[in-house]
Amino acid sequence: QRSGNSAGGTNSAMSFSKSKTQVQIETNTGVVFDDVAGVEEAKEEFQEVVTFLKRPESFTAVGASIPKGVLLVGPPGTGKTLLAKAIAGEAGVPF
């Protein structure tokens, strides 16, 4: 029989379901594409994403499916989060 004072504590294998994680949603980011310096071609590409977030019915009417998300890849400090906040700010959706 195992004791309750093991390295993980009592019932440590089942404690993962008791997470106190909170989701923080910003409804107004205050960031727009004009705040993002450089990457002009990326901002042009993301204008279509912004248009889709503002008016998805125009895309679904022609048979487009709703994407699950957009993956921004790059090294730390390259502005991925700022660009994501700008997309949300331009589209008027929560970040």
Side-chain angles (χ1 to χ4, degrees):
Q1 195 175 41
R2 294 182 174 200
S3 67
N5 293 333
S6 63
T10 305
N11 294 328
S12 64
M14 299 304 287
S15 66
F16 65 88
S17 65
K18 299 174 185 170
S19 175
K20 302 286 190 249
T21 305
Q22 295 179 356
V23 177
Q24 185 177 16
I25 298 175
E26 294 181 36
T27 55
N28 184 9
T29 62
V31 181
V32 293
F33 282 144
D34 290 337
D35 298 330
V36 180
V39 295
E40 295 301 321
E41 58 276 351
K43 291 192 283 186
E44 290 173 10
E45 291 289 328
F46 282 123
Q47 280 296 341
E48 188 173 332
V49 174
V50 170
T51 305
F52 179 80
L53 290 171
K54 285 183 177 178
R55 292 184 300 279
E57 62 278 350
S58 61
F59 288 87
T60 55
V62 294
S65 61
I66 298 173
K68 299 284 184 199
V70 176
L71 183 63
L72 300 175
V73 179
T78 56
K80 297 179 298 290
T81 303
L82 183 64
L83 189 56
K85 285 185 176 185
I87 292 168
E90 289 279 339
V93 296
F95 174 72

